[in-house]
Amino acid sequence: MQGQSLPLRVATLLTGLLECLSFAGVLFGWASLVFVFKTEHYFEELCEPNARLMGNATGLDDCKAQDERFSLIFTLASFMNNFMTFPTGYIFDRFKTTVARLIAIFLYTSATLTIAFISADSAVLLFLAMPMLTVGGILFLITNLQIGNLFGKHRSTIITMYNGAFDSSSAVFLIIKLLYEQGISLRASFIFISVCSAWHVGRTFLLMPRGHIPYPLPPNYSYGLCSEDGPREEEKKTAESPNLELSEEFLSPKEEISRPGQQQQEARSFWSYAFSRRFAWHLVWLSVIQLWHYLFIGTLNSLLSNLASGDRVLVSTYTNAFAITQFFGVLCAPWNGLLMDRLKYKYQEEARRTGSSASAAALRSTVPSLVLTSVLCLGFALCASIPVLTLQYATFTLQVINRSFLYGGNAAFLTLAFPSEHFGKLFGLVMALSAVVSLLQFPIFTLIKGPLQNDPFYLTCQRCYRGRLISIHSF
């Protein structure tokens, strides 16, 4: 890394981290925003007449239809968050960074302006605004993940950190909620977020490449406003050796020597990996755990209202506590990556001494991470299912750790279990298919509110126990 480009790369890194932390994953602070929407009487016409007379705080049991409407909005938005990873990834690959980011800015700004100017009478527009906000945010994340390529051996750490920042950005809606309680209107907050689009545009042209940041990074690589065709030329150079990263990651010296001949013999298509048993089990594992997370976030306001017997002060306090814990996702995420890096190094050293496969040794390093993630989900689900309000502090803590481990472990597993040339497509496919499964959260929410009478214990325990077994059987 040349000294003259270091300030530019550090500026790109820090501003990208700020962008992910402040904008990319705000959807997952939904519980804080729902609190404000209910205060503004959104969808209150769906409540029973006696509930409206008593006030939303004391008549929540009679406002099941209102809770279902908010749950449906979150279901649709969270579905788009995952499902659109596949097409947005294609847009990023096909049209490069600048075009992808301009689309993200348009969607994000349109969404924030829509939220700013709607009212209780036009609350149905949330069905349009929240998915647009989500898709814009995921495009911000995708275009920023390539920044890790600028820092060589620290690449994995930076990518993990960006994913953690994506999780932590849910705290933004907590800030909006706190400002609302201090007299700052919802409209003013979202207009300010809309104005920040000027900052996104400036960063797109000054601190981001027009194309893609290649990996490994070629010498004399340049990008930004002052570069001309550097990124495109360098991408052509690195395209000649697309699997260099794979050999550097987990091939022993003997394997690297024999690799060219082996690759021709062992080449497999993308669909052969997509229909493999390993991919299928991993998809089920991710979908099961992710479904529980989405169900929990989407129904948190209703859950807290029931546990607090409709006390708005208590609901507000616990909603704030949940949003604050989400902020620490950026600190939790790198620990999973560090765990896998240490284990991968250990197992690869053993493989070199014994002459066994280094790629299999690297894959073994993901097992403790997957099992630990499943156990964390089990503990998280058990705590959430016990109707004790103070226990929810433990639930919030386990939730943010589990969620940070879930997505980092997912990306790491796909990187180590499948060839690097298929990573982008497999990552987009697993996220898109898991999004389809996440649509089950709305019928499950309806089941819990109806026949199960707000008792999700059976469903949550069975779901996460099954996820734990799936993670073990993947190997």
Side-chain angles (χ1 to χ4, degrees), residues 247-385:
S247 63
E248 291 180 346
E249 286 284 339
F250 50 79
L251 290 181
S252 64
K254 292 182 180 179
E255 290 173 318
E256 288 178 18
I257 294 174
S258 60
R259 182 174 172 274
Q262 290 178 348
Q263 186 178 359
Q264 294 178 356
Q265 296 175 0
E266 299 176 3
R268 293 174 57 186
S269 68
F270 159 72
W271 292 110
S272 67
Y273 290 109
F275 288 107
S276 66
R277 182 181 299 179
R278 177 182 293 172
F279 181 82
W281 278 117
H282 182 70
L283 171 63
V284 176
W285 174 81
L286 174 68
S287 300
V288 166
I289 298 180
Q290 179 179 259
L291 174 60
W292 167 229
H293 277 272
Y294 283 177
L295 180 64
F296 176 77
I297 295 173
T299 60
L300 179 61
N301 183 266
S302 176
L303 172 68
L304 293 178
S305 297
N306 289 327
L307 293 179
S309 301
D311 187 329
R312 290 185 61 84
V313 176
L314 276 178
V315 173
S316 178
T317 300
Y318 278 84
T319 300
N320 293 350
F322 172 75
I324 290 171
T325 58
Q326 299 305 295
F327 182 78
F328 292 95
V330 69
L331 302 178
C332 298
W335 289 103
N336 193 25
L338 290 173
L339 171 66
M340 287 187 287
D341 285 342
R342 292 291 295 270
L343 290 174
K344 183 173 71 172
Y345 177 79
K346 174 185 175 181
Y347 292 144
Q348 285 179 338
E349 286 296 316
E350 293 178 358
R352 290 189 182 98
R353 289 195 300 267
T354 60
S356 58
S357 171
S359 59
L363 188 59
R364 282 176 58 199
S365 67
T366 65
V367 177
S369 171
L370 295 175
V371 174
L372 179 58
T373 302
S374 301
V375 172
L376 285 168
C377 178
L378 181 61
F380 159 45
L382 287 174
C383 289
S385 303

Side-chain angles (χ1 to χ4, degrees), residues 12 66 79 107 160 183 195 225 233 243 296 367 447 461-462:
T12 301
Q66 183 189 35
F79 166 77
L107 291 174
T160 307
V195 171
L225 183 64
E233 293 175 358
N243 295 312
F296 176 77
V367 177
L447 178 64
C461 286
Q462 291 296 319

Side-chain angles (χ1 to χ4, degrees), residues 33 65 424:
L33 200 60

Side-chain angles (χ1 to χ4, degrees), residues 10-39:
V10 171
T12 301
L13 170 66
L14 295 179
T15 55
L17 187 64
L18 179 61
E19 186 170 77
C20 289
L21 189 61
S22 303
F23 302 96
V26 294
L27 170 70
F28 299 103
W30 178 246
S32 298
L33 200 60
V34 166
F35 186 90
V36 178
F37 286 153
K38 284 188 174 183
T39 305

